[in-house]
């Protein structure tokens, strides 16, 4: 039940009606060239075509998909092509934001743990009225004694805690990639099947 509920993350499903008078054999013959690509293996049993891809070339128009099933079903209105395609790339783009958000959370926790230690060292330094050393040549020339660094400067130096901004940026980028890819690839593959069936 859980696996079926999560299937939509990396599965693209759809359907389309075949052209009037087009048989299942004719439809499968027209779709065939899409699966005769380097790195693609396919098997047809009746009205069902199963394919899988390994080390697919970038030129392959279905390179984003790693496998899937195409089935032609007979319905009262006419035969319909139904397909279910899987993509590890979509799964990666879905999981990547979660990974980067966990990095951001760890960065925030690390920053909070580092702050008390930094404050303690600043307080200790404030308690000690250190006399900064001056070189004997500077003394002989009458140069003024070196000034203690200002408190604000010290806080800036000590307060250099890691920030989670980069992790948030990458999480946003991958989330956008997933949303765009999920919508765009679904439309592109449907258009590709339609063109193949009508060609």
């Amino acid at each position: 039940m859980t696996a079926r509920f999560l299937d939509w993350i990396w599965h693209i499903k759809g359907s389309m009606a075949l052209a009037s008078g087009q048989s299942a054999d004719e439809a499968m013959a027209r779709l065939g060239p899409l699966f005769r690509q380097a790195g693609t293996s396919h098997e047809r049993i009746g009205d069902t075509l199963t394919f899988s891809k390994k080390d697919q070339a970038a030129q392959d128009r279905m390179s984003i998909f790693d496998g899937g099933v195409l089935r032609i079903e007979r319905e009262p209105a006419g035969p319909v092509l139904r397909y279910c395609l899987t993509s590890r790339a979509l799964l990666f783009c879905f999981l990547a934001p979660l990974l980067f958000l966990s990095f951001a959370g760890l960065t925030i926790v690390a920053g909070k743990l580092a702050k008390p230690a930094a404050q303690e060292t600043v307080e200790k330094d404030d308690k000690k009225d250190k006399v900064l050393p001056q070189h004997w040549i500077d003394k002989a020339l009458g140069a003024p004694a070196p000034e203690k660094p200002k408190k604000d400067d010290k806080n800036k130096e000590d307060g250099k805690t890691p920030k989670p901004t980069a992790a948030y940026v990458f999480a946003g980028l991958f989330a956008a990639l997933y949303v765009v890819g999920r919508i765009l690839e679904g439309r592109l593959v449907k258009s590709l099947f339609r063109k193949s069936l009508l060609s």
Side-chain angles (χ1 to χ4, degrees), residues 29-91:
R30 290 188 177 187
L31 290 168
L34 295 175
F35 306 102
R36 288 195 285 272
Q37 303 288 330
T40 305
S41 59
H42 70 283
E43 182 185 12
R44 183 186 165 192
I45 300 171
D47 294 342
T48 302
L49 186 146
T50 307
F51 75 94
S52 63
K53 291 178 179 285
K54 189 177 181 183
D55 301 326
Q56 54 267 42
Q59 293 80 12
D60 185 348
R61 286 181 289 177
M62 291 180 64
S63 62
I64 191 172
F65 300 109
D66 302 295
V69 177
L70 288 82
R71 183 178 292 110
I72 293 173
E73 297 177 357
R74 288 170 179 81
E75 294 192 357
V80 175
L81 171 69
R82 297 192 188 282
Y83 55 89
C84 176
L85 313 174
T86 59
S87 171
R88 281 196 301 259
L90 282 177
L91 180 61

Side-chain angles (χ1 to χ4, degrees), residues 56-174:
Q56 54 267 42
Q59 293 80 12
D60 185 348
R61 286 181 289 177
M62 291 180 64
S63 62
I64 191 172
F65 300 109
D66 302 295
V69 177
L70 288 82
R71 183 178 292 110
I72 293 173
E73 297 177 357
R74 288 170 179 81
E75 294 192 357
V80 175
L81 171 69
R82 297 192 188 282
Y83 55 89
C84 176
L85 313 174
T86 59
S87 171
R88 281 196 301 259
L90 282 177
L91 180 61
F92 172 75
C93 286
F94 181 85
L95 294 175
L98 304 176
L99 178 68
F100 283 109
L101 287 174
S102 66
F103 286 157
L106 289 171
T107 306
I108 290 167
V109 169
K112 284 182 180 177
L113 292 174
K115 268 185 183 177
Q119 284 175 351
E120 283 175 17
T121 54
V122 169
E123 285 170 9
K124 283 178 185 176
D125 288 346
D126 288 344
K127 285 177 185 176
K128 294 177 186 176
D129 290 330
K130 287 184 181 177
V131 178
L132 297 174
Q134 187 178 19
H135 199 273
W136 65 271
I137 295 175
D138 292 333
K139 282 182 184 177
L141 293 172
E147 292 179 6
K148 286 178 71 176
K150 292 178 183 176
K151 198 172 185 179
D152 292 343
D153 294 341
K154 262 190 185 180
N155 289 342
K156 280 179 188 174
E157 286 173 12
D158 293 327
K160 283 181 183 175
T161 54
K163 293 183 179 178
T165 312
Y168 287 135
V169 169
F170 280 110
L173 284 172
F174 279 105

